Amino acid sequence: MATVHPLRSATEMEKMMTQARMKNPAQVLPDALTGILQVIGAAKEGGVPGTTLDLVHQRASQINGCSYCVVGGVASARKNGETDERLHAVAAWREAPYFTDAERAALALAESMTRLSDQSDPVPDRVWDAAADHFGEKQLAAIVLVISLTNFFNRINVTTRQPAGPTW
């Protein structure tokens, strides 16, 4: 039996999870979208494989509980050639055999950057150095931007309760 919030009925919880509080703020303030799209475009030019960027986006979105970005990220990653096997395993990337050392370093960086308050040293040198062993400065810049943008979008979507389903 599903657990229901003690102050809300199951119907209220279902409505809350499927109905946005408002349109996405980037739709409400379209000038914001222009700048966001420029940063995304710049990050994609950083020389990091698209599948790696998709994986870090997916992992950060999972951690943040952003269903909109998890669902949209899976659809986007599939379009970019990512396999279901790897997408299903990204939540357990440390134990799964499907990821390269470079991808693992990027995923560790994504987790550290997303969980800033979980440790006194949020992005430890060992995490940064592992990523720097696999990626050059432009590539690291791209990865950091994608992780940051993902966290930005996750916070907007979770706050405004954007429902899962739409893809980009």
Side-chain angles (χ1 to χ4, degrees):
M1 181 183 220
T3 303
V4 177
H5 189 280
L7 301 177
R8 295 190 177 102
S9 69
T11 304
E12 289 173 315
M13 290 295 290
E14 184 177 314
K15 181 181 175 189
M16 184 177 84
M17 301 311 267
T18 59
Q19 184 176 344
R21 288 178 164 154
M22 64 179 286
K23 287 185 205 174
N24 187 298
Q27 291 175 315
V28 175
L29 302 171
D31 287 347
L33 188 57
T34 303
I36 293 166
L37 292 174
Q38 287 178 330
V39 175
I40 292 169
K44 287 182 178 181
E45 297 300 316
V48 178
T51 52
T52 301
L53 297 177
D54 289 335
L55 291 172
V56 298
H57 169 82
Q58 193 65 16
R59 186 63 190 125
S61 296
Q62 289 172 342
I63 292 166
N64 288 324
C66 181
S67 63
Y68 182 92
C69 286
V70 168
V71 171
V74 165
S76 178
R78 282 183 179 151
K79 284 182 199 172
N80 293 331
E82 191 54 83
T83 67
D84 284 343
E85 186 174 54
R86 285 166 40 98
L87 288 169
H88 290 297
V90 74
W93 62 268
R94 284 181 182 83
E95 294 82 19
Y98 311 121
F99 306 102
T100 67
D101 289 344
E103 290 168 335
R104 291 175 189 284
L107 287 163
L109 184 58
E111 287 192 3
S112 288
M113 286 180 62
T114 301
R115 294 180 162 143
L116 292 175
S117 64
D118 287 358
Q119 307 181 70
S120 60
D121 183 6
V123 182
D125 287 341
R126 66 177 166 69
V127 170
W128 181 263
D129 292 346
D133 286 345
H134 295 282
F135 301 101
E137 187 174 36
K138 279 181 73 171
Q139 293 171 314
L140 282 170
I143 293 168
V144 167
L145 286 173
V146 166
I147 296 165
S148 298
L149 284 170
T150 298
N151 281 286
F152 171 77
F153 286 126
N154 292 165
R155 280 151 178 76
I156 290 171
N157 292 330
V158 169
T159 300
T160 61
R161 293 189 180 144
Q162 299 301 309
T167 59
W168 51 88

